[in-house]
Amino acid sequence: MEFKDYYKILGVERGATQDEIKRAYRKLARKFHPDINKDPSAESQFKEVGEAYEALGDAEKRAAYDQLGKDWKQGQEFKPPPDWDAGFEFSGAGGERAHGDFSDFFDTIFSGVRGGARPGAGRAEFHARGEDHHAKILIDLRDALEGAARSISLRVPEIDAAGHVVLHDKTLSVQIPKGVVEGQTIRLKGQGSPGTGRLPAGDLYIEIRLKPDPLYRPVGKDLHLELPIAPWEAALGASVKMPTPTGPIMVKIPAGSAHGRELRIRGRGIPSAEPGDLYAVLKIVLPPADSEKARKIYQDMANELSFDPRAKLGV
Amino acid sequence: MIDKASDAKPSEIVDAASVLSLDDLCHACNVEVGWIGELAEHGIIEPAGRTRSEWRFSSLSVVRVAKAKRLERDLGLNAAGIALVLELLNEVDDLRTRLSMFRNSDEEAPDDTA
């Protein structure tokens, strides 16, 4: 198991005050919160920062960690010495840090002490009806456009015969309807927590998330596509072939089109009773000047067209 | 009862047109009624209907409320802050999408000129 240098994770000195630690944590929490930061590594970084704050934000835990950790470096193979935590009492008091599982490292050093080390685990709460659960499913745009059967794996807490809460792996096959959009939820009745007594289980809400597609970018019900065109097509206009989710079409580029112009193709977005639209965003691409001929053509244009793109800059 | 967990479930899509009551939404997200009221006051969710008993929410509300709950819990934001954050995030998303239309993956950062 690797040693975690919580000071390094928060970016603070070992002698930092509690205030400095709190400030550092809050700044990083804002930065890496998965609802704010779309990067796939954000969530694990957010958890790591939360765990560091859990250890250092609490005076008792910090003192114990300092005692233990002064000789170790981040990433080193680690084993706690026996009785290292003799004399420390952890109240297990919570704080404002994030909920979630802690690493093996954290559990090892802060476990088995009075008060427990998992704030938030707490007593089992007895709901009359089973709790609803939430999960996410990441699907291809193609699945959203056409519908598909996809499976989702969940770790579900269940209460065993002895009354303990155990985690149980469950796989469900879900029918993704045609025309779903990002953020839409699918409700599976009775797939949440079991109810107590004779009361029904809660529901499972599955949030649809779309994987990035190489061609199309969904924005709500609409799709955006980058459409590269040649400079002469932009200047003179042209009829060009472009892909759509339902097959290629010919689209008319108006003469004098500027870079970034959007052409709307109605009804070719995400299908629905009222389908979304497809926006082709024109991107003017320059042919490379990588041959004698190409260079001559460009030079001819420079010489024969009196064109000053910087006329308005006043230089 | 036989566990049919591995069979394909006929899923009910709680789509944008279908509705949840105030109670459904509270239960789905495990939040208090009063807090839903506060979120509605700030426009984070927009119920149809005039009185609370008439309130109906689209399924997109489930995701928004779950997100709001996480922001409150993890970052200590109040409803006003959450509303602003969600609006700005939408705007940033939209701008990023538009911006990515203009850049190739190999020209992410501006070049420094000599």
Side-chain angles (χ1 to χ4, degrees), chain A residues 264-277:
Chain A
R264 172 158 63 177
I265 296 117
R266 287 182 196 272
R268 295 266 185 162
I270 296 189
S272 162
E274 271 184 50
D277 301 325

Side-chain angles (χ1 to χ4, degrees), chain A residues 33 35 99 129 132 134 171-173 175 180 183-188 191 205 217 226 259-260 262 283, chain B residues 5 8-9 11-16 27-28 59-60 62-63 67 70 73-74 89 98 100-102 104:
Chain A
H33 193 279
D35 284 308
H99 296 246
R129 202 191 109 178
D132 291 329
H134 293 260
T171 305
L172 293 176
S173 178
Q175 184 60 35
V180 295
Q184 209 145 27
T185 46
I186 292 179
R187 176 207 249 161
L188 297 182
Q191 292 295 329
Y205 285 86
R217 265 175 246 276
E226 190 178 79
H259 184 78
E262 294 185 355
K283 180 174 166 171
Chain B
K9 297 286 172 204
S11 56
E12 172 204 332
I13 184 163
V14 188
D15 82 56
H27 201 96
S59 81
L60 296 167
V62 175
V63 170
K67 201 177 258 206
R70 287 191 297 268
R73 178 195 71 193
D74 298 336
L89 285 177
R98 287 167 188 276
S100 68
M101 294 271 139
F102 287 88
N104 296 318

Side-chain angles (χ1 to χ4, degrees), chain A residues 55 65 156 295:
Chain A
Y65 176 81
V156 183
R295 276 191 284 275

Side-chain angles (χ1 to χ4, degrees), chain A residues 186-232:
Chain A
I186 292 179
R187 176 207 249 161
L188 297 182
K189 282 192 183 276
Q191 292 295 329
S193 284
T196 57
R198 275 176 266 112
L199 288 157
D203 300 331
L204 173 64
Y205 285 86
I206 302 178
E207 178 186 344
I208 306 280
R209 292 284 191 95
L210 298 177
K211 276 186 215 162
D213 184 86
L215 277 186
Y216 305 106
R217 265 175 246 276
V219 179
K221 271 199 305 190
D222 298 325
L223 295 174
H224 289 236
L225 165 80
E226 190 178 79
L227 182 59
I229 59 175
W232 50 87

Side-chain angles (χ1 to χ4, degrees), chain A residues 155-196:
Chain A
R155 305 201 79 198
V156 183
E158 284 181 357
I159 301 175
D160 72 5
H164 297 130
V165 177
V166 293
L167 284 179
H168 169 70
D169 282 323
K170 196 151 118 167
T171 305
L172 293 176
S173 178
V174 179
Q175 184 60 35
I176 309 283
K178 178 172 161 156
V180 295
V181 297
E182 175 100 10
Q184 209 145 27
T185 46
I186 292 179
R187 176 207 249 161
L188 297 182
K189 282 192 183 276
Q191 292 295 329
S193 284
T196 57

